[in-house]
Structures are given as structure tokens and as C-alpha cells.
Amino acid sequence: MKFFLVLVFILLTNIALFSLGNFEVDSFIEVEKNDSLKVSRLEIICKLEGLRFAFGSRKIKSDWDSLSYTYKIDLKRNQTFLTIKRTDYEDFRLNIIKDYKFRVSKDKNYQLKLINIPPPPPVEINFFVKTDSVDFYIDEVKKNIAEPQLLGIGKHKIRIEKNLYKSINKEIKITEDDTKFSFKMKKLKKIKLEIDTKPRKSIVTIDSVVYGPSPVYVSLYPGKYSIHIFKEGYGAIEEELIVEGSKFLIKTYKLSKDVANLLIKSAPQKKMMIYFNNESMNLETPHKFRKMKPGKYSIQGISDVYETNIQEIDLKAGDNLEIILASRKIVGDITIISEPEAGCRIFQDGEKTPYETPYTIFDLPIGKYSFHVKNDFFYSDTLETEITAIQKEDLTFVCQPTFSTININTFKKAKVKINNKYVDSNKNIRLKCDLAEIKIEMSGAEPIFFSQELITGKTYDLDLYPEIPSGTISFTSNIENVKIQLIGNEESYIGNEKTRFSRVPIGKYKMKISKRGFESFRDTIYVTDKIESKINIDLKERTNKLDGFVFVEYSKKNHSNNNLDFEETTQDFYIATNEVTQKEWLLLFDENNSFFKGDSLPVESISWYEAIEYCNKKSLSENLLPCYNINQHLIEFIPENNGYRLPTVEEWTIASSGGDISENYIYSGSDSLNTVGWFSINSENKTHPVKQKLSNELGIYDMSGNVSEWCFDNEHEETTKKAVRGGNWKYGEILCRPKSISSEIPYQKRKYIGLRLAKSL
């Protein structure tokens, strides 16, 4: 990263030495709108890529179309002062109203055609100075005067310096004819000084050289020096001495009797309010008090968040003392957690806060506090706690429900009405009432009416199936923890080898039986009225394993329709169990530009192109055929090759959601992000070693949080931005869900974006 910044600095400083190009307006016209947008749009046509735009001091985004050389900007009514920038061109400014008499209207679009005039080529210039070993600067950039310099046509600032010589500061004008410049430096002459004091016989020190008791006579070159004057019983003088001119100088300094100087600093915290004897001085550290009265002082530094110990000093006449006050934090942090559910409003000392659980309140002043939490369905008792300095405390509230819960087991196509209102889901229905009047409606069957008395905090599981022809399916298996899926035209079921599926409407069902590490089994079964079908499960262990990867069955319909249909299956694939670590990265690259350093930390601060390059290098290191043909920034995917690659968005989403054994969690592997991922609340603003949290159903780690991951696809067809998935250490919970989308420019490097490998079979 440091190398990159140095390279940018060198580039920018060298551009400053050359002439800059210019822009001219070819035409600026109003055009009729042919879209339904509620804002005006400004189209800027220019054959130069990389233009930047601003209205006033505010930067604005633009869409670049490389085929038509057009930038598109949304205009607002109050945006009239437009600035167009490019590193190697002069800033171009125009006033839409004053220069072109346009009033921005939402009913109009505007088109600006620019002509770019490239800068003239630089000229080779030679400089000569008769004095050796000088420091030579062109436009504040240090150069070697013995070498010819390439400079742009126009004005440049020259600065030449050498110790004991008068500096040269001059502006020169470069033309194609003026290519040689000579300079002559004049040697400085010493200036005689008389330094006197009141009282005399004070010790005079200039730049750490003691010249003796005053008065003293010295000869110094013009410049700035540090002078220190001291005499027992008097306040010391310490200030800057400026020597200039050509005549004999006389300087007299008056020392104050019975006073002292005191410099007060604080560390590591600066800018702390200074207190003397418990009274504020209304001054912040660091500060130097001059001409103080001798005596005893109690000194302390205090700020909103820090304080220091009280330091006692005995200040004597003539002292020139420096003290450093050690600061410490006087606040604590507390994390408020609610169980069994998050999302409860936090109340502090009886007052409602804007925060919801889980939430960490930082920099809370020390003292006693009371907290409680509640929302529409839960409440807690009030807990008291005392915050001490530098404390980090977790306060967990076990909340009491204010509702009853009903789970209704019935057919999928049945409609459920409770207290004359239809419900969207049959599970976890929360009710704040004493009686639930339930009606089950289903086409082709008589409705069911049922009344249930309710007790707050209690859960009721009700089997309410209308009478229709149905059968039963049961299983036997010598393998535990298999997942069984049954898909019918209207009903679907999920269970395991111990599940006995009863009241299954008659008809044809697709069956899928799966388990991680085993080959899935698919078949079609028929359910007959009042008949129990018994099925024996015998899965074969998967043999096509790959170290560090998991096998994923790519069920397109299962992913895209968010249902259990697994009939259409495309190419299965492997995906890595962890994000690429910095140790793995350094096996193939000489440099690791990650912001956070550590062998087991995920690599980050890499561009999409670098991720592509890593895939190819990894493939070649294992004698596999690379999946990408790289021609500068043109990347061609070769699907038939067997090397490593980036996952597609669809592959990444299926893998993060648990594939064909998904439990439909909110995050990748859990409904609680804290158990499976590092995010804004628990990450401490940094990445963490891979595989420290729980995996998802497939055995994949960190697909929610830690670092976001590059995917191969563009985010959509109309952009060159690449898809980024997974959320990261700085994101909140919502952005760490598998369904959350994000994108980034492919050459951009972020300290929160890394990669995960995929591989075709």
C-alpha cells in the first residue's frame, strides 16, 4: 500500500511539471426528454475516459458509456456551477445559467459536447549554477540540477538553496526557444550581535552553544536560532532568535524575578482541560505557562472521556519545568442483550433510547444505571448496574412474553382464519387474547371450526386437517440424520429418517433423500388412500472428494423459486470451506497488501483482477488447466477447463444457503449472526482468523461476515461492476444475509473484500 501511495505521489508531482490539456465547449443544447425520469439528465460527450464531475464542492457520480463516449449525470434545479476534472487537464468550469441562459427543468434534458485539446509535449531544459552541491527544486519538486529536465511550456517556480548562501526563488517562463537557464548564488555574510540582559550576568545559550554570562558578542549567519537565557532566581527565557539584515544588531532581554515557566503535557490523550488546585484554567494540554509564581500546585487533566491522576509539584523561582500527565479512560462500555429474541427497545434510567438489542453503548460515564428492554411481544424486569472505568460488560435480559403462540398443522393449500382474520403463516402465530376462534378452509373438504383458550406464554400445537383421501409414508435407514423431501402438485414435506409423514393427500410425489458426504437419491412415489408406504433408505458415500472443498448439488429451481422443486439440475460444483487466507496467498504471490496482517486471516485489499490471477496461479501450481484467459483487463472464461475459479452469484447463493440440505436460516448457517459470522457488533472493526465461527449446513465457514467475497459475474447486464457477496466485519446484520446484494468496480481494492475458490467437477 505504501508503495502504491508513493507511486501516485511521484506521478502527480511529475504531471505538475508538464503542461496541462484544456477543454473547450463544442455545443451545449437542450433536448426533449424521452424517458419517464422525474429528474433532468445532462449528457456530456467527450472522447476522454476518466472524467470527474462536481457541482460546487460536491462530487457527483456519472455513468460512462464507452461506445458513445457519453457521461450521464442527473441534474437538480439548484445545480448550476459544473466543474469537469481530469488529472492531466486544467479544471474546466461553466455556469449553466449565466454562460448558457439555461434554467434547469425536470421537463428537459441537456447535452454538452466537449473538445479536448491535449497538452503540448514537454521541452528538455538545462540549468546551470556556478556553486556546487545545491538543493534544486522545480515547482517544489526536488531535482538533480546536473541532469536535463523535461518541462511543459509555461511558467515554473525555481528554488535553489545551499547552507550559508542566499536562497534563490524565481519564476521562469519556458518556451520552445528558451531552453537554458543560469543562476548565481551569493554567499551570506555573518552579522555581529550584542545580546544583553536585565539583570546582567545571565547565561546565554544559542542553539545549545553556551556563550557565557551577558552581555555577549557573537557573529551569526542570517537565519533563525533558538535562544535560552537563565539566571538563578529569575524566570528563564526561551524563544526564537531571528538574525537578518546587514547591520550590527543589539538585542536586550528582561528577565522577571521570582517567576518560573511550566510546560504541561498529557499522554496518550491530548487536549485535556488543565486544572490547578481543582480550578479550571480554561486551557488544554499541551500548554506552557510563563512567569508563574513559585509555590506548590496540584495539577490534573480532565476531558469528557479521560482524566489523569493529580500531580503535586513544588515550583521554585527560575524553574523551567515540564511535566507529563498520564491519562486514563473514565468511561465504560456495556452491551445490552435480550433473550429469547433480539430487537427489543432499550430503556436507560426509565428513558427510551433509539437503540435495539443487541447493542453496545460506548463511552458511558462511570456511575450507576438502570436498564430494561421491551417490544410489542416481550418485556423484561429492570436491572441495575454500575459502570467503572475501562469496563466492558454484557447485560443480558431474559424477557417474558406478552403473547401466546399457536402452531397449526394442516394441508399446505388450506386457508387458516383466526378470529375472523386470515393468517399468512400457520407457524408461530402470536396472539394477545384469551380465546382463539379458528377456521380451516380447503377446496373439496368441509371446513373445520375449533376454539382454543389461551394462556400468556404458552405454545399450542394443533393438528387441524380437513377430511380428504390421504395416506402415510414412513422410512427405515441404517444412516442417521438424512434429509427427506417430498414434492407434490400442491403439498410438500421435509423430514428425516425418523419422520412418519401422515395425512399425505393421495397422488404422485417426487422424493429426494440427501446427506452431506453421500450421493443423493431421487425417485417418484405414489400415495394411496389409507395405505402406509414403507421405504428403506440406502445412500452411497460420495467418492469424488476434494480437500478443503465441499461438494454442492446445483439445483437451479430450488434456488430461483425458493421452493423444494429439484427436478431441473445443472452442473454440480465444489466450493472452498474457507476464504483464501494470507498464508495461502503468499504461497503464490510475493506481496500481501492486506490491511490487517496474519497468516490465518482472510486476504483482503485485492481487486477482482487479482482474484482472477490467483485462481489461475493456483490452478497452474497443481497442474490444472486455468479457467481464465487473461489479456490485460479482458478476461475470457473457459468453462471446460478443470482449474480453480470464482463462484458465480448463483453458485455462491446456493452454497451460502445450505444447498440441497438447507434449513432456510436467515444467515449462512444460523438465525443468529453472532454464532456464524464477524460483523459490525462483534468484529472490533477488524477481520478474524477463518473458521472460528460455526459452519453452515454444508460445512462452509464465514459466508456471512468477516470479508465480502468477489463473484465472477457482473451485478447486472448494464454495469461493469462485479458482484460482491457475504457481508463483512464492518457491515450490519441485514447486509450479511445470503440474499443481500452488493457490487464493486473490478479494479477497486477494499480492506473488507477477499475471495473464496470454486471448482467445476
Side-chain angles (χ1 to χ4, degrees), residues 391-616:
Q391 176 187 13
K392 292 185 177 180
E393 181 181 350
D394 289 347
L395 195 60
T396 301
F397 292 88
V398 179
C399 299
Q400 303 300 317
T402 61
F403 60 92
S404 304
T405 303
I406 292 181
N407 294 310
I408 298 178
N409 302 314
T410 188
F411 295 114
K412 189 174 182 179
K413 68 177 182 177
K415 294 181 179 180
V416 178
K417 184 183 285 188
I418 300 178
N419 296 336
N420 293 321
K421 290 184 179 180
Y422 288 106
V423 297
D424 296 327
S425 172
N426 301 341
K427 304 296 182 183
N428 295 317
I429 305 168
R430 293 178 176 180
L431 298 172
K432 289 185 175 183
C433 56
D434 298 327
L435 180 67
E437 297 287 353
I438 304 170
K439 180 182 179 181
I440 309 296
E441 301 173 352
M442 183 173 170
S443 177
E446 291 293 324
I448 297 176
F449 296 91
F450 187 82
S451 296
Q452 177 66 56
E453 293 185 355
L454 303 176
I455 300 175
T456 299
K458 190 172 181 180
T459 298
Y460 301 87
D461 293 312
L462 306 177
D463 290 334
L464 300 175
Y465 290 90
E467 288 295 330
I468 62 171
S470 61
T472 302
I473 306 173
S474 60
F475 298 85
T476 59
S477 174
N478 59 355
I479 303 173
E480 295 182 346
N481 300 321
V482 299
K483 182 176 182 179
I484 300 170
Q485 297 169 273
L486 298 176
I487 311 297
N489 290 330
E490 296 179 335
E491 300 292 329
S492 58
Y493 302 88
I494 298 177
N496 56 38
E497 73 280 1
K498 298 178 181 179
T499 305
R500 186 172 181 266
F501 299 99
S502 59
R503 296 190 181 91
V504 179
I506 62 173
K508 183 174 71 171
Y509 289 82
K510 300 170 188 175
M511 178 180 68
K512 179 180 177 182
I513 303 173
S514 57
K515 181 179 180 178
R516 191 203 309 178
F518 289 79
E519 294 181 6
S520 298
F521 174 78
R522 294 176 172 84
D523 199 0
T524 299
I525 61 174
Y526 295 87
V527 176
T528 306
D529 187 26
K530 299 179 182 179
I531 300 296
E532 180 172 353
S533 301
K534 296 183 178 181
I535 300 172
N536 180 53
I537 298 173
D538 184 17
L539 298 182
K540 296 181 180 179
E541 191 169 358
R542 195 178 300 283
T543 58
N544 52 348
K545 295 181 179 180
L546 183 63
D547 289 343
F549 288 73
V550 297
F551 178 86
V552 183
E553 289 191 49
Y554 190 142
S555 180
K556 189 171 184 179
K557 274 195 175 180
N558 184 24
H559 164 56
S560 59
N561 295 339
N562 197 26
N563 59 36
L564 298 175
D565 197 341
F566 42 76
E567 182 178 40
E568 286 193 16
T569 301
T570 58
Q571 186 67 46
D572 300 335
F573 63 96
Y574 293 104
I575 194 166
T577 57
N578 60 267
E579 296 155 334
V580 173
T581 65
Q582 294 176 31
K583 182 178 180 180
E584 292 169 327
W585 181 270
L586 286 171
L587 292 175
L588 300 174
F589 287 92
D590 295 330
E591 291 186 359
N592 171 24
N593 293 322
S594 297
F595 183 84
F596 306 100
K597 292 294 194 290
D599 283 352
S600 59
L601 295 179
V603 69
E604 26 83 7
S605 300
I606 60 168
S607 70
W608 181 84
Y609 293 107
E610 289 173 324
I612 291 291
E613 186 179 359
Y614 177 83
C615 293
N616 274 8

Side-chain angles (χ1 to χ4, degrees), residues 132-281:
D132 296 332
S133 303
V134 298
D135 291 328
F136 179 60
Y137 299 85
I138 304 176
D139 296 331
E140 300 304 324
V141 179
K142 192 171 184 179
K143 296 291 183 179
N144 185 353
I145 197 169
E147 297 177 352
Q149 305 295 326
L150 287 176
L151 298 179
I153 301 296
K155 295 180 180 180
H156 297 271
K157 291 182 180 180
I158 303 298
R159 178 161 58 92
I160 307 174
E161 295 179 342
K162 183 177 181 178
N163 191 30
L164 305 183
Y165 283 79
K166 186 177 181 180
S167 298
I168 295 175
N169 289 279
K170 188 174 182 181
E171 184 176 82
I172 64 172
K173 186 174 182 181
I174 303 295
T175 66
E176 294 181 355
D177 299 325
D178 295 330
T179 59
K180 294 182 180 181
F181 294 88
S182 297
F183 301 94
K184 183 178 181 180
M185 301 190 73
K186 293 181 180 180
K187 194 168 185 179
L188 295 172
K189 294 181 179 181
K190 286 187 176 182
I191 299 175
K192 294 182 179 180
L193 288 86
E194 176 188 337
I195 298 177
D196 202 358
T197 65
K198 293 181 181 181
R200 288 192 167 185
K201 295 188 178 180
S202 300
I203 303 301
V204 178
T205 303
I206 301 175
D207 279 357
S208 301
V209 177
V210 179
Y211 285 89
S214 61
V216 298
Y217 301 89
V218 296
S219 294
L220 299 173
Y221 287 105
K224 295 179 181 180
Y225 301 84
S226 175
I227 185 169
H228 181 272
I229 303 173
F230 171 77
K231 185 176 178 67
E232 189 72 31
Y234 290 82
I237 293 176
E238 187 173 351
E239 61 182 49
E240 185 179 68
L241 172 64
I242 299 176
V243 179
E244 57 186 0
S246 57
K247 298 181 180 180
F248 182 78
L249 296 180
I250 300 175
K251 289 186 177 289
T252 302
Y253 296 88
K254 185 177 181 180
L255 283 73
S256 300
K257 194 174 183 180
D258 295 332
V259 294
N261 297 329
L262 175 62
L263 174 61
I264 300 178
K265 298 180 179 179
S266 60
Q269 183 65 24
K270 298 179 181 179
K271 293 190 175 182
M272 301 185 68
M273 196 64 70
I274 300 172
Y275 284 75
F276 280 6
N277 302 329
N278 293 323
E279 291 187 9
S280 174
M281 296 291 101

Side-chain angles (χ1 to χ4, degrees), residues 92-159:
F92 181 74
R93 296 177 176 85
L94 58 86
N95 186 324
I96 295 176
I97 295 177
K98 183 177 179 181
D99 298 339
Y100 297 95
K101 312 301 180 186
F102 289 153
R103 291 283 181 181
V104 176
S105 169
K106 64 181 181 180
D107 300 323
K108 296 282 187 179
N109 285 341
Y110 303 88
Q111 186 182 85
L112 171 64
K113 291 185 179 180
L114 286 179
I115 299 174
N116 56 291
I117 304 173
V123 179
E124 185 177 286
I125 306 297
N126 292 285
F127 294 91
F128 305 94
V129 179
K130 293 182 179 180
T131 308
D132 296 332
S133 303
V134 298
D135 291 328
F136 179 60
Y137 299 85
I138 304 176
D139 296 331
E140 300 304 324
V141 179
K142 192 171 184 179
K143 296 291 183 179
N144 185 353
I145 197 169
E147 297 177 352
Q149 305 295 326
L150 287 176
L151 298 179
I153 301 296
K155 295 180 180 180
H156 297 271
K157 291 182 180 180
I158 303 298
R159 178 161 58 92

Side-chain angles (χ1 to χ4, degrees), residues 23-70:
F23 293 106
E24 289 185 358
V25 175
D26 182 32
S27 64
F28 194 1
I29 60 173
E30 289 182 338
V31 294
E32 293 297 327
K33 293 189 69 172
N34 57 3
D35 54 51
S36 59
L37 296 176
K38 295 183 179 180
V39 296
S40 294
R41 173 156 285 183
L42 172 61
E43 294 183 352
I44 300 175
I45 301 174
C46 182
K47 292 188 177 181
L48 279 179
E49 189 174 0
L51 300 187
R52 307 187 307 278
F53 305 95
F55 279 112
S57 60
R58 184 180 179 183
K59 297 178 182 178
I60 55 175
K61 294 182 179 179
S62 64
D63 295 325
W64 162 250
D65 186 344
S66 59
L67 296 178
S68 62
Y69 304 111
T70 302

